Amino acid sequence: MPQLHRPTSLDEAVELLSSLDNPMVYGGGTAIQILIKQGILFADHFVDLASVPGLREVTADDRGVTVGPMVSLRRMETAAPPLAADAYRHVANPRVRNTASVGGNLAHGDYRLDPPTALLVLDAVVLATSVDGTREIGVREFFTDFQETALEPGEMVSGVRIPHQDPGAGHHFEKKSSLGENDWPAASAAVLLDDRTVHIGLGAVAPVPVYVTADIAGLDDQGAVDAAIAAVEPVLDPIPDVRGGVEYKRRLARVTVEDAVRRAWKDRNHG
């Protein structure tokens, strides 16, 4: 059984991550429970962040909203900018969202996660802390491969900074599930749309969450949909599973993007 450690400061937490053999950060614990059920949890030590002060804070300044890693996904439904709040609101169910943490959700690195789609679009930044200090990693560079992130050994997510959302842009988060409302998505898309550009974050349709843009200057709503679908086509690389095969997920991704763009267009013009 892994040994549990309960640091009382961030410095103590990263020191443990640096010195212990095969440690894992324990935040909300929901991702760890998934790994246990999958039989792929190999940690020898858990570093529990529950007693570290300051990790549940949400602050705002001119750069955006900075969120501590232990903030619950449920709280993000009201604390995050609107597009991100919509994505967090669609994670699993209220019980999971009350338990799961912002930092743990990102560090889990699953390609089907809902929040990264919006964080990609909003150009959020992950704060990663180790004994060497804190560095900033753009979310667009954070997911590096299938269930892999840019976190180095000894680093932990110590916060996420989400820039303020343009109030004049239309936005929408769309999620399509095959097996049940609270199941992992078979395709998801977060869209932010202004007069010139549509920004799209995709989940569940490639080995990592993906960000693309399309020029929509001078186009009508159908033109914007066509441009968005053309932009996402080259990056669609679905992983077949019980939720559907490759071709099914490709078609569903196109439908999801179309629905998200149309609703973002309507939100911009009539919201």
Side-chain angles (χ1 to χ4, degrees):
M1 289 290 293
Q3 184 178 350
L4 183 64
H5 304 264
R6 292 190 172 94
T8 57
S9 71
L10 184 59
D11 287 344
E12 185 183 353
V14 295
E15 181 61 37
L16 286 167
L17 292 176
S18 173
S19 60
L20 293 172
D21 183 31
N22 196 24
M24 177 178 288
V25 173
Y26 191 99
T30 53
I32 286 175
Q33 295 304 317
I34 292 173
L35 296 175
I36 290 174
K37 290 180 180 178
Q38 293 174 340
I40 56 175
L41 179 65
F42 304 112
D44 294 317
H45 299 270
F46 286 149
V47 178
D48 186 353
L49 302 180
S51 299
V52 177
L55 300 188
R56 290 182 171 84
E57 295 181 0
V58 178
T59 59
D61 58 24
D62 57 355
R63 296 184 299 170
V65 178
T66 300
V67 182
M70 291 293 286
V71 171
S72 72
L73 304 192
R74 182 77 164 179
R75 187 176 175 192
M76 294 297 283
E77 297 177 32
T78 55
L83 179 59
D86 284 350
Y88 279 105
R89 193 173 293 117
H90 281 82
V91 175
N93 54 61
R95 178 182 60 81
V96 170
R97 294 196 297 274
N98 275 317
T99 303
S101 65
V102 168
N105 181 264
L106 281 171
H108 185 37
D110 197 288
Y111 65 102
R112 300 163 296 183
L113 296 169
D114 297 312
T117 61
L119 299 180
L120 286 166
V121 167
L122 295 170
D123 201 12
V125 173
V126 178
L127 308 178
T129 298
S130 70
V131 292
D132 296 321
T134 298
R135 67 185 179 114
E136 299 187 354
I137 310 170
V139 169
R140 295 173 187 174
E141 290 78 49
F142 185 74
F143 300 97
T144 57
D145 206 341
F146 177 73
Q147 293 191 326
E148 293 183 6
T149 73
L151 289 174
E152 298 288 346
E155 280 188 322
M156 57 166 277
V157 175
S158 58
V160 182
R161 187 171 67 247
I162 311 172
H164 297 298
Q165 183 174 324
D166 178 0
H171 72 274
H172 186 75
F173 174 78
E174 186 73 19
K175 174 178 178 176
K176 308 291 189 186
S177 300
S178 299
L179 301 182
E181 182 180 358
N182 295 326
D183 185 45
W184 289 106
S188 62
V191 167
L192 190 70
L193 181 151
D194 56 33
D195 290 336
R196 302 193 60 84
T197 307
V198 56
H199 303 263
I200 307 164
L202 295 170
V205 293
V208 295
V210 181
Y211 169 71
V212 298
T213 64
D215 184 356
I216 60 169
L219 299 179
D220 60 9
D221 57 342
Q222 184 60 52
V225 167
D226 293 342
I229 292 176
V232 304
E233 283 282 3
V235 303
L236 297 180
D237 185 19
I239 298 172
D241 57 20
V242 295
R243 294 164 186 85
V246 171
E247 287 308 313
Y248 168 77
K249 289 188 176 183
R250 289 181 66 90
R251 292 196 301 272
L252 194 62
R254 292 190 286 268
V255 171
T256 304
V257 169
E258 177 173 358
D259 287 350
V261 171
R262 290 194 186 281
R263 288 169 183 168
W265 183 281
K266 182 177 180 180
D267 179 66
R268 184 194 65 171
N269 289 282
H270 305 292

